[in-house]
Amino acid sequence: MEKRMTVKVVKSPQAKGYGDAGASHTKRALKGFTAVSGAPSEDIDANNMTLRQRGRMLYMASPVAAAAINTNRTKIIGSGLRMKCAVNNEILGLPEDEVARWQRNTEAEWKMWAERRSNCDALGVNNFYELEQLAVKSWLMSGDAFVLLKRAESTPLNPYTLRLHIIEADRVSTPFCERTAKLNQTEGKTADGNKIYDGVEINGSGRVVAYHVCNVYPYQATADKWKWQRIEVEGQKTGLPNILQLMDAERPDQYRGVTYLAPVIELLLQLRRYIESSQVAALVQSYLTAWITTASDPTDFPLNEVGAGDVDGIPSDQPDSVSDSEYEYEMGPGQINHLKKGENIELSNPNIPTASFESFVNSIIKMAGAAMEVPYEVLIKSFNKSYSAAKGALEEAWEMIKMRRSWFVNDFCQPVYEVWLAEAVATGRIKAPGFWDNPLIRAAWCGARWDGPAQTHLDPVKEAKANELVV
């Protein structure tokens, strides 16, 4: 019996799903879009040194960058997040008057410690509320910030030994042997095999167990020998934190934070350059400068022809020339420059984009603000479009502020309060039965809320009436 053979024709695979969309390698617009992402330690840690320096420089040189970070600082912290005791009496089961008395006493003790800079700051520079402001600003500017919980001798005016020392992100780094490797070495290992990622030591299961703090900054001009101190995350006997890290994680397995300005570094840098160029162009165009060519000795200048001269009849105390070089000519209001024989001057005509300048700058600021979750109106402090637009911008900003405030309370305020309360109970200044016996009871005693600036209201009366209608 004759067998028939069937041949199956296999067609070349066609682009399907994302292969015909964002993952296409054939579309002209995407051919050159090569994106390769590695581990967070490769993508983040290897570039974090550069990001920190650029973010910090933009804060110092870009008004928009400074506005974004300072607005966050002011809205999140304001004059300070104030602690109010909120013990869980459902767990404690105490009489209400006894709980109220305990909370008033504890708040008074905390206030005594927190409001004196010599009591709470290891450097003696800021009180607790100012440390909150500094911590938020450092966190956003550098990507993360660290808080060492130190101990010092108690004094007649301060019975507590707890002191806080905020460490800038640059000082937490991976120890190295060769001085030349300090700026690019981010990974390392300890003697017992733990890995170190940019100063963060993790054990075999990936849990953070310690931080390595250097005594100097990477670019600091100093003759001091580089030394690192290993700070364990928690005390082995007490379980209390020795160091806190403030960080906004964007990827799993990420151990170091990225500056808040990272997504808009290029945008803000170019905006700064554009604004400066436009400013210089406008300034140059406003100058009235004359150039005189002469065949005689160029040093024989007529009297009062060079320099700004007198202003309103008052002799000017400014120098006639900023530079003494014979190869530099200057422009200024009413400036007259003499050229040498055979020299000629040609100036370009600076065009000032007066019509498009404001709209272009505002468009860039809106894009940057969207990336940083700060609406344009809040970032620029301009609420002149309409009531509904301004109210919408404030509400959008408030959602971001609430989220970041919650992070900050969880990472800084509450841990510090719990360490302080443990010392207060241990020394007998505050009585908390069962504090050391049961973790659940201890958590109930440690309950607190942190009150800060409220949401900004454009028209409190109108919004109060609207709330009444909703209720």
Side-chain angles (χ1 to χ4, degrees), residues 155-221:
T155 66
L157 295 179
N158 179 24
Y160 297 101
T161 63
L162 178 63
R163 303 289 188 274
L164 306 179
H165 186 184
I166 296 180
I167 301 294
E168 200 162 36
D170 305 61
R171 288 183 56 191
V172 177
S173 57
T174 300
F176 56 83
C177 297
E178 299 294 334
R179 187 177 179 88
T180 56
K182 64 181 182 292
L183 298 181
N184 55 19
Q185 180 175 336
T186 59
E187 296 189 16
K189 279 189 177 182
T190 63
D192 56 0
N194 285 347
K195 293 182 179 180
I196 304 177
Y197 292 109
D198 203 8
V200 182
E201 181 182 334
I202 64 172
N203 59 19
S205 62
R207 183 179 179 85
V208 178
V209 295
Y211 297 93
H212 294 260
V213 181
C214 188
N215 62 324
V216 298
Y217 288 83
Y219 292 103
Q220 182 177 350

Side-chain angles (χ1 to χ4, degrees), residues 252-269:
D253 297 325
Q254 177 184 345
Y255 298 106
R256 294 302 304 269
V258 179
T259 173
Y260 176 61
L261 302 174
V264 294
I265 284 178
E266 183 178 1
L267 198 66
L268 295 183
L269 178 62

